[in-house]
Amino acid sequence: MEISNNAVVGLTYELKVSRELEEIESAPFSVEVRDEEDPFYFIFGQSGLPEKFETLLSGKKQGEIFNFTIPSVEAYGEADDELIMALPKEQFTQERGFEPGMLEEGNFLPLVDENGYPMQAKVLKDLGEEVLLDFNHPLVGFDLHFEGEVFEVREATAEELDHGHVHGEHGHQH
């Protein structure tokens, strides 16, 4: 079976990132490895990943190797200054599940948006009564270098399509 819309896809890969700074490109460095012990599974067409990622995997079959780079403009784009904001520290209490050390510079805060979807923000700076947070995707501004193998391709079940995620051993458990 080929990777196509509504197929369940399992991948093993290494993700490296790089960026151009002042006309000098940095050497790619590894940020994530998904191996046979922990493959990455998603429903093709519903991954939430950059569209180019799925386009470059389309038509591949189980056992095929892939190696491609997605430039930042086709991945997560450039940083949006409007997604950097100062919020009152009083919003991050222990009653709401936050520990004092979580507000340290460089940490990522696990948050939930107004619709209940998980999101995260990077702590940029402690401003005293407020904390400066960056809600941009952590890989914004980076070129993404994927090298891996198609671990599995199968038809998604009606329930998986209805729920929008993979079930079973490598997916969501209800």
Side-chain angles (χ1 to χ4, degrees), residues 16-32:
K16 294 181 180 181
V17 298
S18 65
R19 75 167 47 170
E20 285 187 35
L21 299 171
E22 299 175 17
E23 307 303 320
I24 300 170
E25 188 168 330
S26 64
F29 60 93
S30 184
V31 294
E32 182 180 32

Side-chain angles (χ1 to χ4, degrees), residues 57 60-67 147-150:
L57 289 173
K60 296 199 178 308
K61 298 177 182 172
Q62 184 171 324
E64 274 193 65
I65 303 293
F66 58 88
N67 187 345
E147 183 174 347
E149 182 177 347
V150 179

